[in-house]
Amino acid sequence: MEETERNVKKDVTHNLVWHTMEISRKMREDHMKQKAFTIWMSGLSGAGKSTIANALEKRLYAMGKKTMLLDGDNVRMGLNSNLGFSDEDRVENIRRIAEVAKLMNDAGLIVITAFISPYRHDRENAKQIIGDEFREVYVSTSIEECEKRDVKGLYKAAREGKIAQFTGITSPYEVPEHADVVIDTAEMDVETCVNHILEQLKELLQESK
Ligand code: ADP
């Protein structure tokens, strides 16, 4: 992809030229009276990402915010149904989610994503795609706690060797080093976790009210 003097993106190989839309992101945000951004939640399976993401979205909804929630299994059942859990597919899984989050941000929506997203490099890539309005929430619940909960029975299956490349057991989880918010759901109840996230993101939420 190259940028011309007029700041028009071009992909010469594929004869593509970016079409500039007359209704800008800023106009869409103003229309919705909010600042669009993405809350990217990462953590082990069972850490509490989906639970917190849902509770957080309900609170934002009650505040009158226009939101969308992208959740791991749901996206894997649709948009990414052709992807598995190999390293290559995990990269593509996160890339597509980030592109969708970006499109939704461009439409003016506040997006919450809840994916394990275990690799630092992939989260960095997501940040590159989404841009300045990317906020990382690390759900830091320990593997011992996640395994004890074993909500979906996946840890048991992974320990029995029935699931290959299971994050935290046979596949790595790279801890975020510069997360904007860190929450451990073993120490805080759902409401407290949501309050903590809202408190940390209040500047963005107050913009363009
Ligand atoms: P993930 O999306 O990270 O895989 P889930 O949200 O699906 O995790 O599962 C987390 C489990 O932990 C749920 O069964 C939830 O009820 C439980 N849980 C217990 N305490 C908390 C808490 N404070 N925050 C979030 N989940 C909690």
Side-chain angles (χ1 to χ4, degrees):
M1 192 83 74
E2 68 181 50
E3 298 235 355
T4 66
E5 289 141 36
R6 282 166 50 241
N7 210 22
V8 175
K9 282 192 221 167
K10 270 189 171 183
D11 179 342
V12 181
T13 325
H14 302 101
N15 299 314
L16 302 175
V17 182
W18 186 267
H19 196 91
T20 307
M21 289 177 281
E22 286 185 42
I23 305 289
S24 67
R25 170 170 172 161
K26 176 79 175 67
M27 288 161 76
R28 293 177 206 272
E29 287 178 325
D30 289 348
H31 205 58
M32 292 187 179
K33 299 185 174 52
Q34 64 182 24
K35 168 91 181 150
F37 63 101
T38 293
I39 302 168
W40 190 280
M41 305 187 61
S42 166
L44 295 168
S45 175
K49 300 179 297 298
S50 298
T51 307
I52 303 292
N54 263 290
L56 176 61
E57 190 180 32
K58 273 165 66 184
R59 282 284 289 281
L60 291 171
Y61 185 89
M63 288 160 71
K65 301 291 181 189
K66 279 76 179 173
T67 60
M68 185 58 189
L69 171 54
L70 297 172
D71 189 273
D73 287 357
N74 299 8
V75 170
R76 277 194 175 274
M77 285 185 211
L79 176 70
N80 291 352
S81 59
N82 63 329
L83 301 177
F85 290 86
S86 65
D87 285 351
E88 199 180 298
D89 280 4
R90 282 180 194 256
V91 171
E92 179 59 10
N93 184 44
I94 299 301
R95 189 194 68 80
R96 284 188 206 169
I97 292 156
E99 289 286 359
V100 170
K102 164 81 171 151
L103 282 174
M104 289 182 172
N105 282 165
D106 284 346
L109 296 172
I110 294 170
V111 178
I112 308 168
T113 72
F115 299 90
I116 299 174
S117 40
Y119 297 117
R120 212 165 282 140
H121 172 267
D122 289 344
R123 296 190 300 265
E124 278 302 317
N125 192 25
K127 189 173 176 174
Q128 287 285 321
I129 292 168
I130 291 164
D132 288 344
E133 288 75 28
F134 173 97
R135 293 294 179 277
E136 190 171 34
V137 175
Y138 171 35
V139 185
S140 66
T141 318
S142 70
I143 181 124
E144 292 77 18
E145 175 66 22
C146 294
E147 194 162 1
K148 198 167 76 191
R149 292 178 185 171
D150 207 5
V151 194
K152 303 174 194 163
L154 297 176
Y155 283 92
K156 184 170 179 288
R159 291 284 183 204
E160 290 167 359
K162 291 179 185 152
I163 306 176
Q165 294 173 299
F166 191 75
T167 304
I169 309 276
T170 43
S171 185
Y173 178 81
E174 296 174 357
V175 169
E177 285 164 346
H178 307 289
D180 297 279
V181 189
V182 181
I183 44 170
D184 183 342
T185 64
E187 288 173 5
M188 293 189 268
D189 64 17
V190 177
E191 251 353 83
T192 312
C193 292
V194 170
N195 288 341
H196 189 61
I197 296 171
L198 290 175
E199 177 61 25
Q200 298 300 310
L201 301 179
K202 70 171 181 245
E203 275 165 35
L204 272 174
L205 288 166
Q206 279 163 358
E207 259 187 68
S208 312
K209 240 185 170 175

